[in-house]
Amino acid sequence: MARIYNFSAGPSMLPEEVLRQAADEMLDYNGSGMSVMEMSHRSKVYDEIIRNTEAMFRSVMAIPDNYKVLFLQGGASMQFAMVPMNLLAKNGVADYVLSGNFSQKAWEQADALAKAFGKTVNIAASTKEEKYCRIPTQKELKLAPNADYVHICSNNTIYGSAWQYIPDTGDVPLVSDMSSYILSRPVDVSRFGLIYAGAQKNIAPAGLTLVIIREDLLGEPLPGTPIMLNYATMAKNDSMYNTPPCWPIYISLLVLQWIERTGGLAAMQQRNEEKAALLYNYLDSTTFYQTGIAPEDRSIMNVTFTTGNEELDAKFAKESAAAGMSNLKGHRAVGGMRASIYNAMPRQGVEALLAFMKNFEKANG
């Protein structure tokens, strides 16, 4: 069976070159006589893999030397708890900006922990009442000067919006969930105190969570924080306090090498913007489909749209799947359709979707 175009929001498709290399090395990685899946994480051969992976992240993302790169588990959702557990102990105040489903979940977890420890978590801004159709502006952010950190979600996978600017938080560390945004374009890491991302969008298979944290934030966590949820513990042990997610780390190394071979993050951004423009330009030219996200805040990773008719939307999802394009059904919270066009989605896949959308409009408009 021929490969399909997988528009899933995650786990997403991986570059075909990476899959073929992983397949070639499945039974024997680099003369070791075994798969990376099988080898000890304490072995010399795996030590080289994890160290090279960190070096590649530092190179591709231009991560400053005063930041630690951690390879953790638990997904981005685990970070909803780890961030306040580790960063909320100093002044006991944090600001959260609600711009979508996952920033809402992050705030709910932090708020629950704050109440348990007598701390305060503020909502610095929210577009929930507007159904998260846009990103709050800098002027709308009501930031506490004594906050331990400010939390945002850089790209809103479900609604299809994204931060096009890095908010100015002064001396307060900025924390960002970049799960569906990371590696899609260059990012000035020095503007953030902490970045975290689940791997299953643009990095690797599910199971790995990347954390990039400024060293001065590796302080004392809230009392009772489990050892496994302490950033300082994981940093001190080079992400090896326990067995790390070995296979996803290895795949992320191959993905980073692929990004470097294809021009780095600047070239990746150009390709991603061109892919997204194909869909947005068409959506703006027709009344058959609608997208409710403010044009200035549209995501280039997750393009959401609807016909306005639930039966037609269901028909679109069914017929597009039959045409070799999977997972175009929108999230249950918003309905409609969603095309997740992460780094590994080739332009041909977006062109195939565009052709299908036009034909579907002709047949049903």
Side-chain angles (χ1 to χ4, degrees):
M1 180 178 178
R3 280 180 59 77
I4 62 172
Y5 293 120
N6 177 16
F7 290 93
S8 171
S12 66
M13 64 189 303
L14 288 164
E16 188 169 331
E17 290 178 39
V18 168
L19 293 174
R20 292 188 182 281
Q21 183 175 350
D24 289 341
E25 296 175 341
M26 177 62 75
L27 297 179
D28 180 9
Y29 172 77
N30 199 25
S32 66
M34 68 181 85
S35 166
V36 175
M37 285 186 178
E38 304 168 289
M39 63 181 55
S40 168
H41 63 293
R42 303 291 183 186
S43 65
K44 288 184 179 180
V45 64
Y46 190 77
D47 183 68
E48 183 178 18
I49 290 174
I50 195 169
R51 290 183 184 277
N52 286 345
T53 304
E54 178 179 343
M56 282 297 297
F57 269 114
R58 290 187 178 279
S59 175
V60 170
M61 293 186 65
I63 300 172
D65 292 339
N66 63 324
Y67 284 73
K68 291 291 187 181
V69 177
L70 306 179
F71 301 122
L72 308 181
Q73 300 175 64
S77 295
M78 182 73 82
Q79 296 306 306
F80 298 166
M82 284 188 74
V83 168
M85 281 181 171
N86 284 268
L87 303 187
L88 196 54
K90 184 179 180 182
N91 297 323
V93 178
D95 288 331
Y96 277 68
V97 182
L98 308 189
S99 59
N101 182 70
F102 291 109
S103 56
Q104 169 80 23
K105 287 187 174 183
W107 169 77
E108 289 172 354
Q109 175 66 87
D111 187 55
L113 282 167
K115 289 176 179 176
F117 285 90
K119 311 298 183 181
T120 302
V121 173
N122 304 311
I123 297 178
S126 173
T127 54
K128 185 176 182 179
E129 296 301 315
E130 302 170 62
K131 297 182 178 180
Y132 296 127
C133 69
R134 66 179 182 88
I135 299 295
T137 64
Q138 178 71 48
K139 291 182 179 180
E140 292 177 284
L141 304 183
K142 307 301 181 183
L143 303 177
N146 66 327
D148 290 314
Y149 65 93
V150 178
H151 182 283
I152 66 171
C153 182
S154 292
N155 184 84
N156 301 302
T157 318
I158 291 174
Y159 291 86
S161 63
W163 289 72
Q164 307 299 340
Y165 73 98
I166 299 177
D168 182 1
T169 58
D171 294 328
V172 177
L174 178 61
V175 175
S176 179
D177 176 355
M178 287 194 185
S179 296
S180 53
Y181 180 96
I182 199 163
L183 299 182
S184 66
R185 63 176 68 184
V187 171
D188 184 355
V189 175
S190 68
R191 296 283 302 277
F192 298 84
L194 188 152
I195 292 169
Y196 65 90
Q200 66 274 15
K201 318 284 189 177
N202 265 338
I203 303 176
L208 166 67
T209 305
L210 176 73
V211 171
I212 303 169
I213 181 171
R214 207 171 63 209
E215 290 179 348
D216 64 291
L217 298 179
L218 296 169
E220 290 297 322
L222 291 174
T225 295
I227 290 174
M228 285 292 296
L229 301 184
N230 187 334
Y231 290 132
T233 298
M234 306 309 286
K236 181 180 179 181
N237 290 276
D238 296 323
S239 303
M240 288 277 198
Y241 181 81
N242 68 324
T243 306
C246 298
W247 178 258
I249 291 171
Y250 155 70
I251 296 296
S252 68
L253 173 60
L254 303 189
V255 169
L256 290 163
Q257 291 170 342
W258 170 74
I259 289 174
E260 188 174 62
R261 286 196 305 272
T262 55
L265 293 184
M268 189 65 68
Q269 178 180 5
Q270 181 178 347
R271 291 194 293 271
N272 285 331
E273 289 178 345
E274 289 173 353
K275 290 186 299 184
L278 290 174
L279 296 180
Y280 285 126
N281 289 342
Y282 173 59
L283 289 170
D284 288 339
S285 73
T286 178
T287 57
F288 182 78
Y289 302 103
Q290 303 90 45
T291 179
I293 302 302
E296 64 272 17
D297 295 327
R298 289 171 173 172
S299 169
I300 62 172
M301 294 284 94
N302 311 99
V303 180
T304 56
F305 57 98
T306 178
T307 65
N309 181 305
E310 290 185 6
E311 292 184 0
L312 269 184
D313 288 350
K315 184 179 181 182
F316 183 103
K318 182 178 180 180
E319 292 185 1
S320 61
M325 291 169 281
S326 70
N327 294 297
L328 281 162
K329 182 179 179 180
H331 189 274
R332 60 187 178 277
V334 297
M337 283 75 73
R338 172 176 55 181
S340 296
I341 50 176
Y342 299 120
N343 290 353
M345 174 60 68
R347 182 186 177 98
Q348 295 92 324
V350 179
E351 291 172 342
L353 172 58
L354 183 60
F356 177 86
M357 292 172 68
K358 292 179 177 179
N359 290 332
F360 189 84
E361 178 179 356
K362 290 178 182 178
N364 298 277

